[in-house]
Amino acid sequence: MLNQYSKLVVALTLLPSISYAVGHEEYHHDDHQENKIEKIQVTASRLGRIVTESATRTEVINGEEVQEKALMRPGNISMLVAETGGVRVQNTSPALGSANIRLQGLYGRYTQLLSDGLPLYGGQAASIGLLQIPPTDLANVEIIKGSASSLYGGSALGGVINLISRTPADKFEGEVLLNATSKNGQDITSYIASPISDTVSASITAGAHHQKEQDLDDDGWIDFAAYERATVRPRLYWSGENGANLYMTLGAMTEQRTGGTLEGAVMPDGNPYVQSQDTVRLDSGFIFEQPLGEVLSLNVRGSAMHQEHEHQFGSIFEDDKHKSHLIESSLSGYNDTIAWLIGVAYQSDSFDSQQYSGFNYTYDVPGLFSQLDYDLSEDIALSLSTRADWHSEYGTQVSPRISMLYSPSNWTIRGSFGQGYYAPTPFIEDIDDTGLSRLEPLENLEEEQATTASIDMTYSLDKVETSLTLFASDVENVTELEVLENPNSPKQVRIVNAPGESKIRGAELLLRYRWHDIKFTASYLYTDASKLSDSSLSREPLALTPRHSAGAVIMWEEHGSHLVGFEAYYTGTQQLENNPYMAESKPYWHLGLLGQITFDNVSWFINAENLLNVRQTKEHALVLPTQAPSGRWTTDIWSRNDGFTVNAGVRIQFGS
């Protein structure tokens, strides 16, 4: 099994190249044939294995799905990941619309977001970052659920989402996408790629995005934050004659986002409350690989991110900076049955607030990591990985992970067990919407730790694929917000480690069927998530974690001609906290329709979202009767709050 991919010598490259191979032929989505099986090489699991042969379960959102979701939400990747089983995009700020990604019920702060294997959005990406990444140049997306700290350190306690960029073809190519929505939003994105010489090629992605503020229920509170955003990302690829490869990228983003009360409107205390955030982010990264003989390969990679925020929370202003740096080097090798790697890494994350310097921190984390993939037989493969980090604040952390694959006939059975940690910061979900003015400086916190395990079974026969996944997680020292007893103090809340464990148990069911040009996908997710109650005598459900959710998608697509799709997603009841209007949410459905027609290189599309016009403000007001001790003025978002929306536009492709 290993010798099938060893000739690629991409082991551990984490280069933004994904191989689509059928036998010895290259596979392109535009040349779809039913009798061909797509083999996808994944990089998030470090050793560059074919996804069906890797003991580490890596779910892939392929290029076809990426293009479909890009038509629904061209401005950001929230729609792209939200409709994957076991993945939930959770709104963390009703004022600004920011959100994070929860994997199998674990908190969004535990999810590491990567771009081509690099933490370009920071070691601990801000929630708003999810809404600032356009999907324009994505080839596919890789998802590892469960603790991946053994592969990527403390920021991957809950899993990894790796965004893989498109690589330039042999000829000049590009596209421009224009989009407009019924909620007065507009997007313009572009992608251009071309070879420069026999050994060098390059691409550039750019976008401009606008949204007008929307008060859908006419209560004076903005339900859709207004924003103006611009992004640009050039990439450079070099290949040497001796097998060496170099990938480099730069990124720049600026955004002005405003929510809160409309001009002239006031909160229940009689004062206006404007909430805004101006963001500037610059990042850079590189990956270099050099073969050393026939079986060894040296890999060096690094990244740097600098992000500045200017916040306004009513009458309070906060300016801060986030910085993140990574440098890593590793050596990998293989033979017929074994692939291995060993490496060293140094990562630094820092936060600097001008107004609240008591929250400033710098985490320096040198580490050692290793991985061993071993084929015990044709049907059985084993993957062992471990990482030791020496955290400047929380000391030595050891994160192991073991995965096993058994693949007899049409079955694929995987099991995994992992442990990891997360270094606490002030930016838990409850603080994301309020700022630091009412929060006590962090003291006496312990690192958050998790143990995760899963078993998944997949059966494939002809055009049918079914799978069942059972998963479990135990999380200790979860950081949460606690209200202080002195109401006259300017500091009214603090972050503490919760007593006991958060326990998450669940199951995922998936069914895929393809008949000619029609794809059908159905999924169901059951999640039983609980924590110790305040009395420590019983357990209570974790807030904003639906026990039942399900989805179904039917897509009819003839490449180069047309696409028609219908989707339906169900979200069950959720436990609510600090919501005076209800203790448990209502279930709801999300329905959508997508259509596209293509003439030569021009595609016209229209997409209708939330056909039932679901809005949380139809159930209760979003604004609280009184301001919460943390400074928050709104309830959590447990439903959709965008209402029925239509977007339409045109995609123009040129070149090869």
Side-chain angles (χ1 to χ4, degrees), residues 124-196:
Q124 298 168 336
S127 294
I128 199 69
L130 181 66
L131 304 183
Q132 297 170 333
I133 305 170
T136 309
D137 64 342
L138 293 184
N140 50 36
V141 178
E142 303 169 352
I143 302 174
I144 296 179
K145 300 171 186 174
S147 176
S149 291
S150 67
L151 302 174
Y152 292 101
S155 298
L157 179 62
V160 169
I161 294 182
N162 190 19
L163 308 175
I164 305 296
S165 59
R166 294 153 66 177
T167 53
D170 294 335
K171 297 180 181 180
F172 174 82
E173 63 177 346
E175 72 170 52
V176 174
L177 186 146
L178 307 176
N179 177 70
T181 78
S182 59
K183 295 294 194 298
N184 201 355
Q186 298 86 38
D187 303 278
I188 302 175
T189 64
S190 61
Y191 170 78
I192 297 174
S194 175
I196 298 175

Side-chain angles (χ1 to χ4, degrees), residues 452-465:
T452 66
S454 67
I455 297 176
D456 69 273
M457 296 160 282
T458 300
Y459 180 77
S460 301
L461 181 63
D462 295 330
K463 304 169 184 176
V464 178
E465 177 187 340

Side-chain angles (χ1 to χ4, degrees), residues 476-537:
E476 296 180 339
N477 302 326
V478 173
T479 51
E480 62 181 15
L481 211 59
E482 180 180 77
V483 178
L484 299 176
E485 297 181 357
N486 184 1
N488 297 320
S489 170
K491 302 295 185 181
Q492 298 190 30
V493 293
R494 65 180 176 183
I495 293 176
V496 298
N497 292 119
E501 291 182 327
S502 292
K503 295 180 177 293
I504 301 170
R505 306 289 186 268
E508 294 178 42
L509 288 170
L510 178 67
L511 170 66
R512 289 193 180 101
Y513 175 72
R514 186 156 201 154
W515 181 71
H516 297 294
D517 293 323
I518 298 176
K519 297 183 303 179
F520 173 77
T521 305
S523 61
Y524 168 74
L525 174 65
Y526 171 81
T527 309
D528 180 12
S530 65
K531 65 178 182 178
L532 208 61
S533 65
D534 292 338
S535 65
S536 298
L537 299 176

